[in-house]
Amino acid sequence: MAISLNTRVSQTVSLTPQLQQSIKLLQLSNSELEQELAKAAEENPLLEFEPNPEIESNLSQSNERVEVNPQSWSNNQASQDDDEDWGERYERIAHKQTLLEYLEEQIHLLKINPEDRSLIAYIAGCLDERGYLPEDLQAIHADIATQLTENTSFNHTEKALAKLQTLDPPGIGARDLAECLSLQIDRTLESIKDNRAAWELAKEIVTSHLPKVGSKDWQKIKQASGKSEGEVLKAVELIRTLQHNPGSQFERENDQWILPDVVVRLKHNRWVVESNPNAKPRLTLNNEYARILKENGQKKIDGALKQKMLEASWLVKNIAQREETIQRVAQAIVERQQQFFSMGAIGMKPLVLREIAEELEMHESTISRVTTQKYLACPLGIFEFKYFFSSQVSSEKGTGISSTAIQALIKKIVEEESAAKPISDTQIAQLLSDQGYIIARRTIAKYRDILRIPPVHLRKQ
């Protein structure tokens, strides 16, 4: 056997620690950021952190409610009988873990190189609350490529997503419902020996015939699969046991306490954005340490202490960058939605992430992170940034109206209807048509469901 020495050129993903930290901070809510900064200050003596009394009070009240998740996805999950400190276990239970935190714990344990781990963590940060990946993977790859020292192939990003999809809960990282269900079935097929034929048929159905399941068109599924109706129905029952939203158990409570990031005020007949001083992170460099380091000079500084100083500086700079980004995105949204703040939901204009991204010269994935769990306060109430984005519905006048405004019109029509003779979806569609908005009856029904308005026969008194 000959021994040879070869040179090979390969491309690797390299997300710098500063970039990883910047991405993570940007997607955190105020309360999550508070906890992150408190932890950083504990680990780094060069940081001075003053807890926000409003957030601290809310967190202490929230932690009084102990919530235990009885569901387990993994056979190797630690048993309650494990010999561990009870105080640590109680603290872990009392804190309602987020989906991202749960995934990061698993990613940290993966036996892969640090670069791949960073890439998987980046994609995990792009998931929505349901556990789905709403952004196009090509767009995510392009976003990462512009921030790397060396480019990497799209195939590498695809492999990172595939690895993420092997984590718990099953179905995580899917791009649509069919893929979500398919991933769960694949996980089941890996661990069972019996009933495989039914699960394999279930996989075929979710992959190729899922819309027919919604319409209960068993005959077409039977013809396409070559199976009997009994076999099809058995497979459908298995599909119904699967989770549509893998991240649902991590979703926040509807009555959660919110500290708005910005405040919207009317000045000189124009709605403008101001930062909320109560939400501003209270993190600074320790002046005493900084003075000592400056007096001793860079050459005399211990290596570990110098690293702590760099980490402290990065964090303070990234916090400032986070505030500036939130402020810019909020101002861009408010500029485009001036009518909303004066008229309410009926004044909402169609808006998509791409428009704000192009205006601010940022990537859509960055705008997506900024608009999630970030809130503005105005005379109408407190709203998540994401609320101001909605699709466009065309009108006969040639202008567009947002789906949010259409929903507001539907709500207004229903509120003004006669209780003895409520208006049907068809009639609502006609009333909107009279105003120049052509909306299909099924779309009216969908918006009515979103607004939690009962159908006409349940509204009749």
Side-chain angles (χ1 to χ4, degrees):
M1 181 176 176
I3 298 175
S4 62
L5 182 65
N6 298 312
T7 302
R8 185 178 64 180
V9 179
S10 62
Q11 294 178 332
T12 60
V13 183
S14 179
L15 292 173
T16 64
Q18 301 98 305
L19 177 58
Q20 292 180 49
Q21 185 183 77
S22 176
I23 292 167
K24 183 176 182 179
L25 294 177
L26 199 57
Q27 61 199 22
L28 296 179
S29 66
N30 274 323
S31 57
E32 290 169 341
L33 178 64
E34 186 82 359
Q35 295 175 71
E36 186 72 20
L37 297 184
K39 181 181 176 183
E42 285 179 5
E43 297 173 351
N44 193 333
L46 296 178
L47 287 169
E48 284 188 352
F49 174 66
E50 181 184 348
N52 187 314
E54 292 188 49
I55 297 178
E56 190 175 34
S57 172
N58 172 258
L59 288 175
S60 63
Q61 291 174 15
S62 298
N63 287 343
E64 289 175 2
R65 300 191 305 271
V66 180
E67 299 181 44
V68 183
N69 169 31
Q71 198 171 11
S72 171
W73 298 295
S74 180
N75 292 329
N76 61 6
Q77 184 174 357
S79 166
Q80 287 190 356
D81 297 328
D82 288 348
D83 184 18
E84 64 176 6
D85 182 76
W86 173 251
E88 290 182 6
R89 184 192 301 164
Y90 180 86
E91 182 180 353
R92 193 164 58 249
I93 295 173
H95 167 63
K96 189 173 183 181
Q97 194 176 41
T98 66
L99 174 61
L100 183 58
E101 287 171 342
Y102 184 69
L103 291 172
E104 285 178 338
E105 284 183 359
Q106 298 175 74
I107 294 168
H108 180 71
L109 297 174
L110 292 175
K111 295 180 179 179
I112 54 178
N113 64 62
E115 290 80 11
D116 288 341
R117 190 179 294 117
S118 297
L119 180 55
I120 295 170
Y122 184 97
I123 298 174
C126 297
L127 303 183
D128 62 19
E129 290 183 350
R130 302 171 303 156
Y132 283 73
L133 184 65
E135 299 176 47
D136 181 67
L137 192 61
Q138 284 276 13
I140 292 174
H141 173 73
D143 187 31
I144 297 172
T146 60
Q147 303 177 63
L148 297 176
T149 54
E150 291 186 25
N151 290 330
T152 186
S153 67
F154 178 64
N155 180 256
H156 200 111
T157 306
E158 287 182 310
K159 288 180 179 178
L161 174 60
K163 191 67 176 178
L164 175 65
Q165 291 173 340
T166 66
L167 304 180
D168 288 332
I172 202 73
R175 285 156 286 191
D176 53 42
L177 178 58
E179 185 177 21
C180 177
L181 299 176
S182 181
L183 288 168
Q184 294 175 65
I185 294 172
D186 286 342
R187 191 80 65 92
T188 300
L189 286 169
E190 289 173 1
S191 59
I192 64 168
K193 293 182 179 179
D194 300 327
N195 208 24
R196 291 187 63 85
W199 279 109
E200 286 168 355
L201 177 57
K203 172 74 179 286
E204 180 185 342
I205 291 173
V206 300
T207 304
S208 307
H209 312 295
L210 196 56
K212 297 183 182 70
V213 174
S215 60
K216 298 183 179 180
D217 197 343
W218 315 130
Q219 189 63 29
K220 286 188 179 179
I221 297 176
K222 189 176 74 169
Q223 291 173 353
S225 63
K227 304 293 183 181
S228 68
E229 186 169 333
E231 289 173 311
V232 169
L233 292 176
K234 183 180 179 181
V236 169
E237 283 305 310
L238 293 177
I239 293 169
R240 285 173 177 160
T241 66
L242 302 175
Q243 176 61 260
H244 286 203
N245 299 321
S248 61
Q249 84 151 56
F250 297 94
E251 288 180 356
R252 301 175 176 279
E253 298 175 358
N254 293 328
D255 60 348
Q256 71 177 83
W257 175 86
I258 294 172
L259 178 64
D261 298 83
V262 297
V263 179
V264 178
R265 305 184 192 280
L266 186 62
K267 287 189 175 181
H268 308 296
N269 296 321
R270 194 79 181 166
W271 294 99
V272 296
V273 172
E274 295 178 357
S275 62
N276 181 4
N278 294 327
K280 188 177 179 66
R282 307 175 188 192
L283 184 79
T284 58
L285 292 175
N286 186 302
N287 292 327
E288 185 62 23
Y289 270 109
R291 183 184 64 78
I292 293 172
L293 292 175
K294 187 176 180 181
E295 289 177 355
N296 291 334
Q298 291 290 327
K299 294 181 179 179
K300 298 180 181 179
I301 298 175
D302 176 76
L305 191 58
K306 186 176 182 180
Q307 181 61 29
K308 288 291 183 184
M309 189 64 185
L310 285 172
E311 290 173 0
S313 299
W314 290 340
L315 183 56
V316 171
K317 288 178 182 178
N318 280 333
I319 290 296
Q321 185 180 9
R322 177 184 182 274
E323 289 182 61
E324 181 186 352
T325 304
I326 290 173
Q327 184 85 4
R328 290 183 65 202
V329 171
Q331 187 60 54
I333 291 171
V334 171
E335 281 295 325
R336 289 174 178 258
Q337 300 292 8
Q338 290 283 314
Q339 290 184 18
F340 167 84
F341 298 101
S342 300
M343 302 167 56
I346 291 178
M348 186 80 80
K349 289 185 176 180
L351 183 63
V352 293
L353 295 174
R354 186 186 67 257
E355 295 177 57
I356 300 297
E358 290 176 352
E359 180 180 332
L360 301 180
E361 297 183 345
M362 296 179 181
H363 197 274
E364 280 185 53
S365 61
T366 303
I367 303 300
S368 177
R369 292 186 188 92
V370 178
T371 56
T372 302
Q373 300 186 76
K374 311 301 183 298
Y375 298 85
L376 64 77
C378 67
L380 296 174
I382 296 177
F383 300 89
E384 188 178 17
F385 287 12
K386 190 171 288 186
Y387 173 75
F388 297 94
F389 294 85
S390 59
S391 57
Q392 176 172 299
V393 177
S394 299
S395 70
E396 289 182 338
K397 305 169 186 175
T399 58
I401 184 172
S402 75
S403 57
T404 303
I406 290 294
Q407 291 175 38
L409 288 171
I410 292 171
K411 185 178 180 181
K412 188 172 185 291
I413 290 170
V414 172
E415 286 174 349
E416 295 175 353
E417 72 183 4
S418 167
K421 194 176 181 181
I423 302 173
S424 68
D425 293 343
T426 302
Q427 290 172 315
I428 293 174
Q430 185 57 53
L431 288 171
L432 292 174
S433 177
D434 293 342
Q435 298 180 44
Y437 305 115
I438 310 301
I439 313 293
R441 186 203 59 78
R442 62 180 179 275
T443 305
I444 299 294
K446 181 180 76 172
Y447 288 165
R448 180 173 49 71
D449 287 340
I450 292 172
L451 295 167
R452 297 183 180 178
I453 297 174
V456 62
H457 67 278
L458 293 178
R459 300 202 306 271
K460 189 173 183 178
Q461 296 180 4

